[in-house]
Structures are given as structure tokens and as C-alpha cells.
Amino acid sequence: MEGSILVTGAEGFVGSHLLAGLGQRAHALDGDVTDAQAMADAVGRGRLEAVVHLAAGSSAGESWADPGEAWRVNALGTVNVLEAVRTLAPEARVLVVSTGEVYGRAEEMPTTEDASVAPLSPYAASKAAAEVAAGQAKRAGLDVVVARAFQHEGPGRDERFAVGSWSAQIVRAEEAGGGTVQVGDLTARRDITDVRDVVRAYEALLDPSVPAGTYNVASGRAVEMQEVLDILVGLAACPIEVERDPERLRPADLPVVSGDASRLRAATGWEPTISLEQTLADTLQAARVASERMASA
């Protein structure tokens, strides 16, 4: 493969891991995807092999507070990316990162790509709209791949999300010699893959020999969030108490989410390799390191 790979949202949780994986081939977008001219300037700057579109409002919880912003960033931003590629780099492959939440309350578990799209949150709905834009661009001749990524965790996850919040709370408790972790609904079951495995899937989907289309990125196993919390609490270096916080519940939550990645496996040979236990241990350790850096800054 020749040329460079432009990554939008490179400063985010997944983006930092992806840049590390792609090495010198990749460069981060210096601009805002909601600014069509900035997007065009970035795409037209050099010979592009591919664009990985990660930039998004990625919190379903936050999308309920400002649905318009979720649609502006996730739908309009995707349109701007696709239009810039169409006009300035039409040979480049575009990887549009979507979410397994577009399926809503799917009847089939694990859910395949053939299931109906029925998003519940503004976040998921705006991602479904981004997929519609990607499909239109593909029919117009662009080389577009959509990755429906299910929940992924790992080092660097921030506190807007349950695992990042729990990890940070545990670190603060460790520093105090003990404390409380506040949680929301622990009955939800989620399909969790390590972010580093997810990045490997994205890298595989950039190979032009992989057919364009839509691919789930998932482990195929749903785990109850209570189990996730229990693992993290078990890794803590101090006594931890758990307290349920009603403010951490979000509207229209999905009781079970799980994806079937058979299509991705058949096309690329990809398999998740990092265990949930290792993912959580690494996430907690990264939160400890981040806290130490902040304390010494």
C-alpha cells in the first residue's frame, strides 16, 4: 500500500491507540470535521491511501443532553469527510467507524450485520445517519467500509464512560487508603473488546483487498457490568465500597448488546486476543499512572 492515512479524532481514546499502531503511515487531522473547508484542506494536502473517520460525539449519555450536537458532529461531520474524499482523493479507502448501538434492542444475540437498524439514543441515531451517508457515497463509487464497533475498553478510557469512571474512582480511593465507587445500572450486559484489538480490526479493514461493506467489531460475548465492576474492585489496592447513584442511569438503556464478528473474521482472519481481565488490569494501571502524572505536574 502507498500513500498516507489520515485519521480524524486522533486525539481521542481510540485515535491514540490507532496512531501508535499505524506508525509513520498515519497523521492526525488538524481541523474540525464539521468545517467542510478544513476537511477539504486536510484531504487535499497530500496523496492519501485511506481515511479513518473516528471523530465523533461518542457518549450516548451526553447525546441525550444535546441531541443537535450529536447529529452535527456525527452526521454532518461524516458527510464532510466523504465529500472531501470524493472530490480530492477518490481512490482512497474510507473507514467510517460506527457503533453496535445502531441495532437498538436487537432480537438476535449475538447480532449480525443483517439485523435491522433501530437506534434508541441520539448518539446511535446520528451514527446510523452517518452510515446512510457512507452507503450513498459507496453507491456513488467511493471505497467505503463501515465498522460497527461494540463496546471497547482499555488504557486511556475517560471518566464519561463506566469503566473509565470506575477506574478513576478506585485510584482516588487507593490514594486515600479506601473509599467508595459510585455506579449506575450493573445488570446491563455488554460485549466488551480491548481497544487494542479493535485497532487491529481497523488496520485490517484498511487493506484494499478486504471487500468494502459493513463489519461488526465485537467479541461475541456479553458480560454483565456487575462482573466488570467485580474484577476492577478485586484489582484495587485498598478496601472499596460500592454505592448506586441514580444520576448515573441513562434513558432507554439497552439491557443486552452483543455482536457477531463472523463477517470480519472471514474477511480478515481477525480475532480478539486480549482477555477482559487483562483489559481491566491495564485500564486501572493506566489510570494510576495518569493520576501520578497529574499529582507531579
Side-chain angles (χ1 to χ4, degrees), residues 115-158:
S116 298
V117 170
L120 297 181
S121 69
Y123 160 71
S126 64
K127 282 292 198 176
E131 288 193 20
V132 172
Q136 180 187 41
K138 182 174 180 293
R139 288 188 292 275
L142 284 188
D143 181 14
V144 182
V145 177
V146 172
R148 288 177 178 162
F150 285 68
Q151 185 167 334
H152 37 291
E153 305 294 345
R157 176 55 97 182
D158 69 73

Side-chain angles (χ1 to χ4, degrees), residues 158-289:
D158 69 73
E159 291 195 55
R160 293 175 301 158
F161 302 88
V163 171
S165 174
W166 298 344
S167 298
Q169 290 183 72
I170 289 172
V171 170
R172 289 192 286 270
E174 288 177 336
E175 293 168 348
T180 300
V181 172
Q182 294 189 323
V183 303
D185 180 17
L186 297 177
T187 65
R189 296 170 61 206
R190 293 290 180 265
D191 186 326
I192 300 175
T193 305
D194 192 285
V195 65
R196 293 160 291 190
D197 280 331
V198 171
V199 161
R200 287 195 305 103
Y202 295 167
E203 291 178 36
L205 289 171
L206 290 176
D207 187 331
S209 69
V210 176
T214 300
Y215 296 87
N216 286 339
V217 182
S219 73
R221 170 179 174 257
V223 59
E224 192 172 68
M225 294 306 289
Q226 178 70 62
E227 180 181 341
V228 176
L229 177 65
D230 289 345
I231 293 171
L232 278 171
V233 169
L235 293 167
C238 70
I240 297 290
E241 294 185 3
V242 175
E243 180 180 286
R244 183 161 177 163
D245 178 8
E247 294 297 320
R248 292 175 180 263
L249 301 175
R250 75 187 193 197
D253 208 355
L254 301 169
V256 185
V257 179
S258 182
D260 183 335
S262 297
R263 181 182 295 178
L264 175 62
R265 188 178 306 115
T268 69
W270 177 87
E271 292 275 4
T273 61
I274 302 173
S275 70
L276 176 62
E277 291 77 11
Q278 188 63 55
T279 298
L280 297 175
D282 292 349
T283 303
L284 183 57
Q285 182 57 30
R288 290 174 178 136
V289 171

Side-chain angles (χ1 to χ4, degrees), residues 56-158:
S58 57
S59 169
E62 288 182 358
S63 74
W64 288 103
D66 193 350
E69 180 66 5
W71 281 84
R72 188 180 76 87
V73 175
N74 297 348
L76 176 61
T78 301
V79 170
N80 288 342
V81 170
L82 293 167
E83 184 61 12
V85 173
R86 184 187 70 81
T87 56
L88 296 164
E91 300 302 316
R93 167 157 287 197
V94 184
L95 175 59
V96 174
V97 175
S98 185
T99 172
E101 291 196 25
V102 297
Y103 297 113
R105 290 193 176 92
E107 296 181 2
E108 176 190 25
M109 294 289 172
T111 308
T112 70
E113 295 88 349
D114 296 326
S116 298
V117 170
L120 297 181
S121 69
Y123 160 71
S126 64
K127 282 292 198 176
E131 288 193 20
V132 172
Q136 180 187 41
K138 182 174 180 293
R139 288 188 292 275
L142 284 188
D143 181 14
V144 182
V145 177
V146 172
R148 288 177 178 162
F150 285 68
Q151 185 167 334
H152 37 291
E153 305 294 345
R157 176 55 97 182
D158 69 73

